[in-house]
Amino acid sequence: MNFQNTREFAQSLDAQDELKNYRNEFIFPKVNGKQVIYFTGNSLGLQPKRTKQYVDEVMTDWANLAVEGHFYSDKPWWDYHERFAAPLSEIVGAKPTEVTVMNTLTVNLHLLMVSFYRPTQKKFKIICEEKAFPSDQYMFQSQIDFHSKLVGFNPSEALVEIKRRDGEHNIRIEDILAKIEEVGEELALVLIGGVNYYTGQVFDMKTITEAGHKQGAYVGWDLAHAAGNIELHLNEWNVDFAAWCSYKYMNSGPGNASGCFVHEMHHNDADLPRFAGWWGHNKERRFKMEPKFDPVRGAEGWQISNLPILSLAPYLASVDMFAEVGMTKLITKRNLLTAYLEFILKEIDNELEGADFEIITPSNQEERGCQLSVYLHGQGRELFERLMKNGVITDWREPNVIRLAPAPFYCSFEDMYEFGQILKQLILEK
Ligand SMILES: *Cc1c(COP(=O)(O)O)cnc(C)c1O
């Protein structure tokens, strides 16, 4: 498409946008009385207007039914989480039995590592990406420290990071595959962010998963920036396990519950260790309070506690919206919206003397989702701060990057145009 950097053109794209009405389903903060341009749906998605109703429903049931709400409310609490299996399985390309919702993201990755990181003296290495999200780095280190003392391997050799080549911003697939082969039989686990949080790069999960399996390793994915953003086929790709948070692209509210995936090939493996609790126990017999743990055959078998229903309510509002729209339409809009933003950024960079920035996210649509990371060569943090003051909400990542994620659920093409105008103005003013 031949884009134009004009308000009329942006408005014409909005007029043709099938999802345009969803913008009104979200609550936008205001700066100086004006609705913000929101680019941080990759960090905390906006609040859907319908969410309050879902939370109120639980509050009302609790008030009116108290303990009886577990079984007799319209959406009984004891199996409330089961409502997530169908919509989440659509979002991540899984079977309903392969997904569930519980805990929070890093906690779930730790719990899944209990099952899928069981190092021996010969097979103990973990492959991850260089500069993984800090929480993931702390997780790896603590898992390695925990096991190395018991098993007896050198903890300083256990974590193998895939590096970017000098002068490049993204990791090459051939470098990942070569490293997997090089580590070979010593490889116990590959665990990478499916979409890199810093650059927005999307990894070829199918190929990497296959390569890890060839070395007899388990392969899991941290899908924090992938769930609700990119097309996923976790079942088909034979991914062993995955987890994601719900508060980024999935708009479920701050710090909210995580989703997780365990491939059906593991559901009947009685040798797979796990940390258990009563909510993972055989459903029919859960309240018989038997002494021996008999896990549900499915991702639900990894549940531990009864669920925080007040947290799940906003997440349910969110997955209901995803079910209404479907990932296909979101991805179609995402591609066009991101491409339009890219066009506007490049035009400003070419046109303005004082502008000097570089988009470090892959330009190839297959290798990115809804995020452009912009390295500011000319400007610095001060530009980011002025954008915020002018109602453009982005985020800052050291050393010199702003991340822009135009979430297709609620961002408009006119937002992209308007952002371009504000950016130009701020660069000229300086
Ligand atoms: C956002 C994010 C997290 C956050 O983890 P929590 O346990 O939900 O705090 C972890 N990993 C990645 C890659 C993320 O982007």
Side-chain angles (χ1 to χ4, degrees), residues 244-421:
W244 54 93
C245 50
S246 58
Y247 46 80
K248 291 174 179 167
Y249 291 103
M250 298 200 63
N251 314 313
S252 80
N256 209 348
S258 160
C260 76
F261 165 90
V262 179
H263 198 282
E264 62 183 347
M265 64 183 147
H266 302 301
H267 292 182
N268 293 316
D269 181 353
D271 293 334
L272 218 50
R274 70 181 93 190
F275 289 164
W278 68 330
W279 240 247
H281 187 75
N282 181 322
K283 249 174 70 182
E284 278 71 48
R285 316 183 64 84
R286 186 169 298 157
F287 300 103
K288 296 201 188 297
M289 303 297 186
E290 301 161 324
K292 191 173 174 335
F293 181 62
D294 172 21
V296 180
R297 304 289 188 265
E300 256 193 86
W302 273 259
Q303 290 278 358
I304 296 183
S305 293
N306 87 98
L307 285 130
I309 304 301
L310 281 168
S311 296
L312 295 199
Y315 196 3
L316 191 61
S318 154
V319 295
D320 283 352
M321 291 180 84
F322 274 85
E324 266 170 37
V325 174
M327 284 307 293
T328 308
K329 283 183 186 169
L330 283 164
I331 288 169
T332 304
K333 178 173 176 188
R334 180 205 76 191
N335 284 340
L336 195 60
L337 195 60
T338 312
Y340 190 49
L341 174 62
E342 182 181 39
F343 162 80
I344 286 172
L345 282 165
K346 283 188 172 163
E347 202 183 72
I348 295 172
D349 187 44
N350 288 332
E351 182 189 306
L352 282 194
E353 189 79 22
D356 183 9
F357 44 76
E358 176 190 3
I359 299 172
I360 63 174
T361 306
S363 54
N364 170 10
Q365 226 160 56
E366 303 296 306
E367 280 183 88
R368 72 182 188 201
C370 168
Q371 177 177 319
L372 295 179
S373 300
V374 182
Y375 198 101
L376 303 174
H377 291 287
Q379 286 77 27
R381 197 182 162 101
E382 166 265 351
L383 176 66
F384 157 75
E385 275 158 12
R386 288 198 298 150
L387 281 168
M388 296 291 274
K389 280 200 194 101
N390 283 275
V392 179
I393 311 300
T394 75
D395 84 2
W396 175 262
R397 283 287 176 269
E398 294 295 337
N400 215 9
V401 165
I402 54 172
R403 302 185 306 168
L404 306 169
F409 243 129
Y410 46 75
C411 290
S412 68
F413 291 90
E414 196 171 357
D415 280 345
M416 303 306 110
Y417 169 77
E418 188 68 30
F419 159 68
Q421 295 305 106

Side-chain angles (χ1 to χ4, degrees), residues 105-106 133 135-136 197 222 224-225 245 247-248:
L105 174 54
T106 312
F133 192 84
S135 192
D136 299 37
Y197 80 98
D222 178 338
H225 281 261
C245 50
Y247 46 80
K248 291 174 179 167

Side-chain angles (χ1 to χ4, degrees), residues 205-206 209-210 213 231-239:
M205 293 182 234
K206 178 173 189 274
T209 302
E210 235 171 67
H213 285 167
E231 193 174 330
L232 296 164
H233 299 282
L234 300 182
N235 171 274
E236 214 179 292
W237 297 340
N238 287 320
V239 165

